[in-house]
């Protein structure tokens, strides 16, 4: 019996993934570009060979759809696997606006493949993680990561790739938790509805690759204004496709709009800060780390709490013989 423990950070898309070209293989319709975020992380231990399948999440043994998704991922890694024990803990609050599925499936993939003594390249690990949850394929690397949509029907060219590591540039992501509560519509369902019903969806597809290219260049040049502008363009286009879906998908709450306006006001006063929102109400603000205190201060009146995150490092794993 072998166990392995992996650690992975969540990531935030600066240029968003929204839409699937293949549901079964979880292939995206667009490329995306993310920043891996520390210090928050998921720790996942997989024991390969226990007397029955068991899954623990944040201190409790779980059953139901979340456990089924974890165990199906182990089946994907090895269809002839033995029963396994998975113990996964996040050191960050769920509902804080950063998907724990990204760090969760990155850590699960890494720990399970190590415990199964599979010798896989990091690209293969990313491809596996993608099938658990799309954004997870970006959390294997630290710093800035690009996920190319790929062209091949089998998805072997659709995985993360590092652009610049976490020491490349001292940027912060300031997260304003403006509203607590469960997500109204999950990402997968939201993506399908948007693709099927939004009249703006084709524009989203037509402009995404150019946005990724612009963001990639901005990261390499450390051009915060260019990166901030393309990040806002991507997020507002994604939300425009959501808002024009039928029925409309409105993830925003009043606090979301108030926080956006506060950041725009700060920018008018000369501070470089730009907003992004995912499939939820929380507002995340990109800035140089020297400006993070100013950003945190102007968000405070609109948020239940404000967290300042920095670039995180790559996912790691160690194997232990039980
Ligand atoms: C992203 N999001 O690029 C986008 C932006 C939310 C909005 O990836 O269906 O959990 O498991 O592949 O990765 C959140 O969705 O979706 C997400 P699935 P995932 O980060």
């Amino acid at each position: 019996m072998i166990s392995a423990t992996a650690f992975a950070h969540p990531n935030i898309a600066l240029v968003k993934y929204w839409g699937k070209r293949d549901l079964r293989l979880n292939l995206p319709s667009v490329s995306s570009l993310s920043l891996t975020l520390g210090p928050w992380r998921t720790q996942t231990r997989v024991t390969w060979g226990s007397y029955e399948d068991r899954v623990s999440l944040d201190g409790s043994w779980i059953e139901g759809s979340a456990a089924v998704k974890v165990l199906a991922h182990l089946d994907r890694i090895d269809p002839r696997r033995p029963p396994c024990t998975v113990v996964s803990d996040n050191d960050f609050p769920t509902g804080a606006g950063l998907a724990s599925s990204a760090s969760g499936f990155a850590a699960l993939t890494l720990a399970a493949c190590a415990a199964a003594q599979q010798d896989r390249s990091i690209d293969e690990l990313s491809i596996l993680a993608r099938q658990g949850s799309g954004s997870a394929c970006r959390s294997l690397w630290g710093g800035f990561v690009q996920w190319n949509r790929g062209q091949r029907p089998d998805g072997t060219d659709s995985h993360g790739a590092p652009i610049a590591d976490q020491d490349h540039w001292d940027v912060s992501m300031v997260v304003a938790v403006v509203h607590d509560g469960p997500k109204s519509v999950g990402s997968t369902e939201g993506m399908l509805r948007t693709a099927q019903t939004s009249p703006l969806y084709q524009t989203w597809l037509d402009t995404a690759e150019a946005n990724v290219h612009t963001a990639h260049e901005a990261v390499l040049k450390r051009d915060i204004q260019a990166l901030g502008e393309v990040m806002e363009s991507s997020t507002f286009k994604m939300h425009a496709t959501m808002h024009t879906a039928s029925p409309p998908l409105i993830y925003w709450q009043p606090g979301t709009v108030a926080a956006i306006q506060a950041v725009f006001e700060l920018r008018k006063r000369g501070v470089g800060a730009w907003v992004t929102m995912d499939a939820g109400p929380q507002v995340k603000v990109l800035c140089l780390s020297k400006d993070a205190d100013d950003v945190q201060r102007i968000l405070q009146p609109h948020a239940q709490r404000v967290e300042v995150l920095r670039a995180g490092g790559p996912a790691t794993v160690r194997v232990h013989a039980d």
Side-chain angles (χ1 to χ4, degrees):
M1 182 163 71
I2 295 182
S3 295
T5 301
F7 294 92
H9 294 293
N11 70 77
I12 182 156
L14 308 179
V15 178
K16 305 295 187 189
Y17 146 54
W18 193 254
K20 297 176 194 275
R21 67 182 169 91
D22 183 306
L23 197 55
R24 190 181 61 84
L25 289 171
N26 207 28
L27 294 171
S29 299
V30 293
S31 303
S32 56
L33 189 149
S34 60
L35 175 62
T36 299
L37 293 174
W40 289 352
R41 65 181 189 176
T42 299
Q43 170 178 341
T44 302
R45 181 183 176 118
V46 175
T47 303
W48 202 257
S50 36
Y51 74 95
E52 62 176 2
D53 280 337
R54 288 188 308 170
V55 180
S56 164
L57 190 58
D58 288 331
S60 306
W61 296 107
I62 59 162
E63 291 175 352
S65 61
V68 167
K69 218 177 156 197
V70 167
L71 296 170
H73 196 60
L74 300 181
D75 294 340
R76 192 177 282 133
I77 286 165
D78 180 358
R80 293 191 302 278
R81 68 175 177 85
C84 296
T85 301
V86 176
V87 178
S88 189
D89 295 287
N90 299 315
D91 68 3
F92 57 97
T94 51
L98 288 171
S100 53
S101 65
S103 49
F105 276 95
L108 178 65
T109 304
L110 204 50
C113 290
Q117 297 184 285
Q118 295 182 357
D119 186 19
R120 295 193 187 257
S121 70
I122 191 160
D123 289 353
E124 288 173 325
L125 292 167
S126 177
I127 286 166
L128 278 170
R130 183 201 76 221
Q131 293 171 72
S133 187
S135 50
C137 81
R138 302 184 303 232
S139 268
L140 290 169
W141 292 271
F144 296 88
V145 180
Q146 185 165 325
W147 171 18
N148 288 323
R149 80 185 283 284
Q151 304 293 335
R152 296 187 201 139
D154 67 0
T156 50
D157 57 350
S158 186
H159 53 77
I163 297 175
D165 70 21
Q166 70 268 31
D167 299 323
H168 170 71
W169 195 9
D170 194 8
V171 295
S172 290
M173 192 60 76
V174 185
V175 179
V177 178
V178 299
H179 181 84
D180 261 335
K183 201 187 261 195
S184 44
V185 176
S187 293
T188 301
E189 188 189 336
M191 289 184 204
L192 295 177
R193 189 193 299 176
T194 307
Q196 284 162 4
T197 63
S198 169
L200 304 186
Y201 187 69
Q202 189 59 46
T203 304
W204 165 252
L205 297 182
D206 291 344
T207 56
E209 303 309 310
N211 285 172
V212 169
H213 178 76
T214 302
H216 189 135
E217 295 292 304
V219 168
L220 294 182
K221 288 187 202 144
R222 299 187 186 89
D223 183 340
I224 192 73
Q225 173 139 359
L227 184 61
E229 285 176 3
V230 75
M231 182 185 84
E232 279 193 357
S233 174
S234 176
T235 202
F236 284 116
K237 274 189 295 180
M238 179 182 77
H239 282 275
T241 69
M242 296 164 167
H243 295 174
T244 49
S246 179
L249 265 173
I250 314 281
Y251 287 109
W252 297 357
Q253 294 288 336
T256 312
V257 179
I260 293 170
Q261 298 291 9
V263 172
F264 287 4
E265 286 299 318
L266 183 68
R267 208 150 77 209
K268 277 192 206 150
R269 303 209 307 265
V271 177
W274 289 266
V275 298
T276 187
M277 289 75 60
D278 291 293
Q282 319 313 359
V283 176
K284 298 107 178 199
V285 182
L286 175 72
C287 61
L288 295 175
S289 294
K290 70 175 178 57
D291 294 324
D293 286 349
D294 282 347
V295 172
Q296 184 169 24
R297 198 171 315 115
I298 60 104
L299 289 171
Q300 218 95 54
H302 308 288
Q304 290 159 13
R305 40 178 213 287
V306 182
E307 312 265 1
V308 179
L309 299 171
R310 300 274 162 91
T316 58
V317 66
R318 62 191 161 83
V319 176
H320 0 235
D322 290 325

